[in-house]
Amino acid sequence: MTAMANPDIARIMRHSVQHARDNTYELVDEVLKVPASNYTDPGRFKLEVDRIFHRLPLMLAPSCELPNPGDFKTMDVAGVPVLLTRGQDGKVRSFINSCTHRGTNVATAPTGNARRFTCPYHGWTFGQNGELLAIASAADFGEVDKSCLSLKALPVAERAGLIFGSVDPDLKLDIDDFLCGYDALLEAFNFKDWHLFSSRVLRGPNWKIAYDGYLDFYHLPVLHKDTLNASGQLGNRAHYHAWGPHQRLVAPDRAARELGSKPEEQWTDDLVLNGVWTIFPCISIASFNGGGRGVMISQLLPGETVGESWTRQIYLMEKKPSAEQEAAAHEQFAFLEVVVRDEDYDTGLRQQRALDHGTLDHVLFGRNEGGAQAFHKWTDRIIAASDDELSSLFPARAEAVA
Ligand SMILES: [Fe+2]
């Protein structure tokens, strides 16, 4: 299915092209004040980790990172050890990566392919579906019910070529309810058939300081004047379209430049899907073209303290690059490391130090920064919600802002 077959995607792009033609711009109603302590207070940080990262479904990995039966991946999700596996049946499963004997990680490699996981401590063995297959020296160990000693299973679902999972085994929120229909738009990328090209991890400031930067285009021509905007073509405007807490950002001037003069039948997937797609609370997906069509997925996770986060930059490519394309793809990805590390996160780390030691009571988000405004409001709403209230926050099929 092409992107333009999705009526929402066509409508979103038409909206920005029309605004650019009319020289109008959609703004939110008010300037928003966010307490500076939201970025610096350890108590607030603990609430965010507990109520957001240890509760909500998160986009954990692209499906193409575990393409084959037996593939697995271990990860630390804000302090929780997670093991993702793809079974012989092709299904992805998620577990707490903790042996039910004494608790250490049963899998320690970052990724791999395995039919079973043997705990490195005493040799208990678990299958791809989490079941306890064998206890070492079982007769000596004594009688236990193996069927009750499977790895702790976690909610997980694959949607739009992305793996979503929560680290809360008792999550009452359905993953599809959380997605609010947004996955139907992401489906247009067809990520399930893409390839993992490369990935790396960058250290950043408080996860919300880092994430704010993915939610605005306001800073693009200023902070990135010598890099992303070396051509001088980037505007500072964005339109925000929301499905619950998930938002797609479109640059209206770019939409007009690339699409405005073409009949809609000639609007191609790469053109209508560019811009930034965010998945609450911590994912940004942005399109690039060096060495062939690609996206950089930025996956942000809080670090151990309020002033630290870790961003995994995951570069996916629509097709495996040819030998000639590979150097250009590496160059594209290396460029994005420099932009984010030396411009966004360097600025963000300075912002963190200033907020830690400065006198600002609050920071401001303008009427043109509706994306970050919505993000901060959703963060507050989710933190305030009890487990029972959580699913009522997510609209069955949110209306886009168009
Ligand atoms: Fe930036």
Side-chain angles (χ1 to χ4, degrees), residues 213 219-220 223-224 344:
H219 78 286
L220 295 184
L223 183 59
H224 304 308
D344 291 303

Side-chain angles (χ1 to χ4, degrees), residues 67-293:
N68 302 309
D71 286 350
F72 71 88
K73 174 180 167 65
T74 60
M75 56 192 300
D76 181 297
V77 180
V80 181
V82 170
L83 169 63
L84 295 175
T85 68
R86 190 179 295 281
Q88 296 307 311
D89 56 2
K91 275 201 185 125
V92 168
R93 293 179 179 80
S94 178
F95 306 98
I96 300 279
N97 186 9
S98 179
C99 178
T100 49
H101 174 214
R102 291 264 275 286
T104 196
N105 300 150
V106 291
T108 50
T111 56
N113 186 285
R115 279 204 166 258
R116 53 184 60 86
F117 301 95
T118 301
C119 180
Y121 194 0
H122 299 90
W124 284 31
T125 303
F126 298 85
Q128 288 166 340
N129 300 347
E131 71 281 23
L132 176 57
L133 295 174
I135 292 173
S137 303
D140 296 343
F141 188 79
E143 203 165 314
V144 286
D145 182 354
K146 274 202 314 198
S147 70
C148 298
L149 291 167
S150 301
L151 296 177
K152 187 66 157 173
L154 298 170
V156 68
E158 239 175 334
R159 298 286 181 269
L162 302 169
I163 298 167
F164 292 87
S166 165
V167 300
D168 178 358
D170 305 316
L171 179 74
K172 291 181 191 130
L173 172 66
D174 187 86
I175 291 176
D176 288 315
D177 290 349
F178 167 74
L179 288 169
C180 306
Y182 188 59
D183 50 315
L185 283 86
L186 293 172
E187 196 75 62
F189 280 99
N190 199 31
F191 285 139
K192 68 176 172 26
D193 294 334
W194 286 40
H195 302 271
L196 176 69
F197 178 68
S198 187
S199 73
R200 67 166 78 85
V201 174
L202 302 178
R203 182 175 172 271
N206 174 272
W207 71 278
K208 298 194 305 310
I209 287 184
Y211 201 54
D212 285 341
Y214 295 89
L215 285 158
D216 84 58
F217 292 167
Y218 187 32
H219 78 286
L220 295 184
V222 183
L223 183 59
H224 304 308
K225 61 185 183 306
D226 301 323
T227 51
L228 290 175
N229 198 34
S231 69
Q233 284 203 314
L234 291 183
N236 71 355
R237 291 182 164 184
H239 283 131
Y240 306 95
H241 302 266
W243 279 259
H246 317 295
Q247 303 187 69
R248 193 260 165 104
L249 281 69
V250 180
D253 51 339
R254 182 172 177 182
R257 190 168 65 241
E258 293 179 344
L259 303 173
S261 59
K262 290 192 177 98
E264 285 192 22
E265 308 80 68
Q266 291 174 23
W267 290 10
T268 53
D269 282 4
D270 56 330
L271 295 181
V272 300
L273 295 175
N274 73 30
V276 170
W277 298 76
T278 69
I279 305 171
F280 191 85
C282 60
I283 300 292
S284 147
I285 303 173
S287 295
F288 297 94
N289 259 311
R293 187 172 170 211

